[in-house]
Amino acid sequence: MSRFFSGLRDGIGFDIILVGAALLFLLALAGAPLVYNVLMSFQQVDMFTLGSLFRPFVGFANYIAVVQQPEFWLVTRNTLIFVFGSMTGQFVLGFALALFFAQNFPGASTIRGLFLVSWVMPGLVVGAIWSWILAGDFGVLNVILKSLGLIQNNVFWKSDPNFSIWAVIIANIWLGLAFNMLLLSVGLAAIPRDLYEAAELDGANAFQRFWTITLPMMRSTIGAVLSLGLIGTLQQFDLFPALTEGGPANTSNVAGYWSWQLSFQLYDFAKGATVSVMMFLLVLFASVIYVRSTRHEVRG
């Protein structure tokens, strides 16, 4: 018995306890709700059967009904635009800032720290700030664009069907910019400086050094940033009720917010669960691609 308790304290048994505790935590708070949500997407759910686990099984009827919804393809298009626009803006601007602050000029660390303010702010607060910035009649963005001569009349970013989705994209880029910059800065710091010095001695210019050294050496970091960016963008919820509420006429609605509307505004919990399962499959597919693309680096 003493050997058994000794193993639990400082041997392999202790490691198993730590890993088991983490797994139980994940199963209880993530695994069980996920299984319940998937199960709900194959059932007939209403207000009277919501508290029951066993409900009438309807197969793929909920999935067919979701696809046949008149707003399905509009929401799908908006989701793709939102994900692509947000990830592109966050990654390109984040990479540019990471390269800029990698020069280690005086005050670089202080200025870089200021960018982290956007990362720690709640989404609803960010949405409220950008709601004022993007206001059509008194917004700061319209004033700046007018002063630069880029627009003649005010743009109603939040209520114009042509710009409403871009209003949320702009706010989301600002919200996730610091996170991308931070991860990419860590990847840049891990690249040996000797490689750049050797390439410079061989006559490589700045672009050639970036293309042949920086990008290949940061492949795993870039993959992680894009994967996490995809997951975070699909999970984004707070900006939509704070800015557009999915309107006007669903022109800024995306899958995550639509799932919430179906479940908690229309009380169609089965269709809401179905939409969220579709999103989960998309994230799972992207994660598999990322793991397969970086598998040889993990093995090395």
Side-chain angles (χ1 to χ4, degrees), residues 265-283:
Q265 287 186 338
L266 301 178
Y267 301 107
D268 196 340
F269 299 100
K271 288 189 179 65
T274 301
V275 174
S276 64
V277 170
M278 291 178 175
M279 294 175 58
F280 170 76
L281 293 176
L282 178 61
V283 173

Side-chain angles (χ1 to χ4, degrees), residues 53-251:
L53 181 61
F54 301 100
R55 312 180 188 94
F57 182 77
V58 296
F60 289 94
N62 290 324
Y63 291 86
I64 296 174
V66 166
V67 175
Q68 291 177 344
Q69 292 281 104
E71 62 269 31
F72 174 78
W73 294 110
L74 177 60
V75 171
T76 301
R77 190 202 69 170
N78 291 339
T79 302
L80 294 176
I81 293 174
F82 178 68
V83 170
F84 181 78
S86 297
M87 290 180 60
T88 301
Q90 291 174 357
F91 178 77
V92 172
L93 295 177
F95 210 158
L97 288 173
L99 291 171
F100 176 70
F101 289 118
Q103 306 305 314
N104 290 324
F105 54 88
S109 58
T110 303
I111 300 175
R112 180 167 49 195
L114 294 177
F115 277 89
L116 298 179
V117 173
S118 64
W119 185 28
V120 300
M121 293 179 65
L124 285 174
V125 176
V126 174
I129 294 174
W130 279 97
S131 181
W132 284 81
I133 295 175
L134 298 172
D137 45 2
F138 56 84
V140 177
L141 183 59
N142 280 336
V143 174
I144 295 175
L145 294 178
K146 276 186 174 181
S147 64
L148 295 176
L150 298 178
I151 60 174
Q152 300 298 325
N153 300 315
N154 287 339
V155 177
F156 291 85
W157 297 92
K158 299 180 295 179
S159 57
D160 191 326
N162 298 317
F163 296 102
S164 57
I165 187 64
W166 295 104
V168 190
I169 289 175
I170 292 172
N172 193 49
I173 289 174
W174 187 83
L175 179 61
L177 180 61
F179 179 72
N180 281 254
M181 179 194 68
L182 185 63
L183 289 185
L184 292 169
S185 296
V186 174
L188 286 173
I191 301 176
R193 300 295 99 183
D194 298 343
L195 296 177
Y196 291 105
E197 295 174 0
E200 191 173 0
L201 290 175
D202 290 338
N205 57 34
F207 178 77
Q208 291 172 332
R209 295 195 298 271
F210 174 78
W211 187 259
T212 59
I213 298 176
T214 305
L215 285 182
M217 294 292 291
M218 291 190 62
R219 179 179 174 182
S220 59
T221 302
I222 291 174
V225 169
L226 293 178
S227 298
L228 294 174
L230 174 61
I231 295 172
T233 303
L234 287 175
Q235 289 180 334
Q236 179 53 247
F237 175 84
D238 296 340
L239 294 178
F240 290 93
L243 285 172
T244 64
E245 296 184 352
N250 287 316
T251 53

